[in-house]
Structure formats: structure tokens, C-alpha cells
Amino acid sequence: MKALLSVLIIVILLIFGYNKYADYQRFSLENYQYQAISAPEGADRETAMLYYQKVAALDGYVITQWSTNEIDVRNPEDDDQETLAARAGYDKLLGEVKFLENELNTSRLTTLESEKSLLKSQKRTRIKELFTTTSNNELRIGSRGALVFELQKLLNANGSNIPEDGNFQAVTFEALKEFQERNNLFPDGKLDMLTLDYLLEK
């Protein structure tokens, strides 16, 4: 009888200990802390500061509700008035965090788009400079070099399917002529500044 009683006590203590450990794990810092994003470069400083403050407030609210009222506002087990009110407070804070997070993500996308736009503009400038320094500002069958390679890339970006080998052969000539025809340009198969502008704008 004593042995059975001892086993029961040990089982009860193990269950109690496991539940306490599970609660501890559930509310250890790495488990309850909200995973904040990093503010992108160029993000509004005030928005970023407010975001991190709201994240800290959210984390504080979660642990306070648990330690004070034993309510897990992230996954409530009851639906009494106290729990519902605590959950509503959590939802409000989480909504503010998500809103600010979206603002920062939008800022990140805007920054990336600005960088892409700048790179595209710089590339256009370099191609135009390359064009103006090319002999006679005109490519012919047999021409070779960096400008031919860039021309072939631009033609492919505009619907052609030609080799990008830096060698101006008949296939490049025909692709350029077709592009000029599609855009109501003089279809002579030669690269002039007007044709280049059209290629760069597409």
C-alpha cells in the first residue's frame, strides 16, 4: 500500500513539475517575445522608434497578463469577461505593431525601387556614352564590341531572341530592323540615337 501511495505521489509531482516547466517554456523570453523586423536603411526614424516601443509594450503586456492573471493572451484557454478583455488589449497592441511593421516594409520596398531606378538610369547613361564614343555613332554588319553586346541585350529585352555575343551579324541587323518597324522608326537596321532612346525606354 505504501509503495502504491509513493508511486501516486511521485506521478502527481511529475505531472505538476511538467506543467510548471511547460508554463516556463511557454513564457520564456525566446517563446513569448515578438519577432521584430529590422528597420531598413532610410526608414523614417520616428516610425522605427515607435515600432520598437510598441513591440516592447506588446511583449510586456503578454508577460504581465500571464504573471498577474495567468491569461495567455496569445492562445487563451477560457472565454470569460476577464480573458476577453485581456485578449482585446492584446489584439489592439498587435494591430498597432503590424501597422507600423507594414509602414517599415513599405519604406523598404520604396528604397529598393529607388535603388533599382538609379541603377537603371546609370546604365542608360553608360550605354549612351558608349554609343557617342563608338566610331561614326553607327553599327554595321561585322561590327564587334561592348556596344553590340548591349544592343543585343536590349533587343532581347524588347522581344527578340538573338545571341548575345557582341558580334553584329545579319540576325542582329534583322532584329534591330524589326524593332524599328514595330515602333514606327526608319527601318534601316542601323543604330542611331533615336532608336537607342526607344530601346532604352522600353
Side-chain angles (χ1 to χ4, degrees), residues 149-163:
F149 180 69
E150 292 300 329
L151 169 63
Q152 290 168 333
K153 287 200 297 184
L154 288 169
L155 287 168
N156 284 336
N158 282 278
S160 298
N161 185 19
I162 60 174

Side-chain angles (χ1 to χ4, degrees), residues 1 6 46 66 83 109 127 129 167 169-170 182 192:
M1 187 69 179
S6 297
E46 289 183 11
W66 175 252
T83 302
L109 291 174
I127 292 173
E129 287 172 354
N167 190 4
Q169 295 297 326
R182 287 198 310 269
D192 52 37

Side-chain angles (χ1 to χ4, degrees), residues 24-160:
Y24 168 77
Q25 281 293 95
R26 188 166 155 192
F27 283 92
S28 62
L29 186 62
E30 62 271 15
N31 288 329
Y32 81 81
Q33 191 174 42
Y34 183 84
Q35 296 302 308
I37 65 169
S38 298
E41 283 186 37
D44 181 67
R45 186 186 176 98
E46 289 183 11
T47 302
M49 287 178 63
L50 183 58
Y51 170 69
Y52 291 122
Q53 288 171 1
K54 291 293 183 181
V55 169
L58 180 68
D59 290 340
Y61 186 81
V62 170
I63 197 63
T64 298
Q65 286 297 322
W66 175 252
S67 60
T68 304
N69 304 315
E70 293 191 358
I71 297 174
D72 182 355
V73 289
R74 299 165 305 171
N75 300 294
E77 296 172 350
D78 301 316
D79 59 357
D80 54 49
Q81 288 298 110
E82 186 181 15
T83 302
L84 292 175
R87 176 67 192 200
Y90 171 75
D91 288 341
K92 180 177 181 295
L93 284 169
L94 183 61
E96 291 171 350
V97 166
K98 291 293 185 183
F99 174 80
L100 291 168
E101 202 166 89
N102 184 60
E103 291 288 303
L104 291 174
N105 280 327
T106 301
S107 173
R108 176 185 280 118
L109 291 174
T110 301
T111 301
L112 287 174
E113 286 303 315
S114 297
E115 289 173 356
K116 285 180 183 177
S117 178
L118 178 61
L119 288 173
K120 190 174 182 180
S121 176
Q122 289 173 341
K123 183 177 180 181
R124 286 177 179 173
T125 300
R126 285 195 296 271
I127 292 173
K128 285 188 174 183
E129 287 172 354
L130 189 59
F131 174 81
T132 57
T133 57
T134 299
S135 177
N136 299 323
N137 294 340
E138 194 177 275
L139 298 179
R140 298 177 178 83
I141 290 178
S143 297
R144 299 177 65 89
L147 182 58
V148 178
F149 180 69
E150 292 300 329
L151 169 63
Q152 290 168 333
K153 287 200 297 184
L154 288 169
L155 287 168
N156 284 336
N158 282 278
S160 298

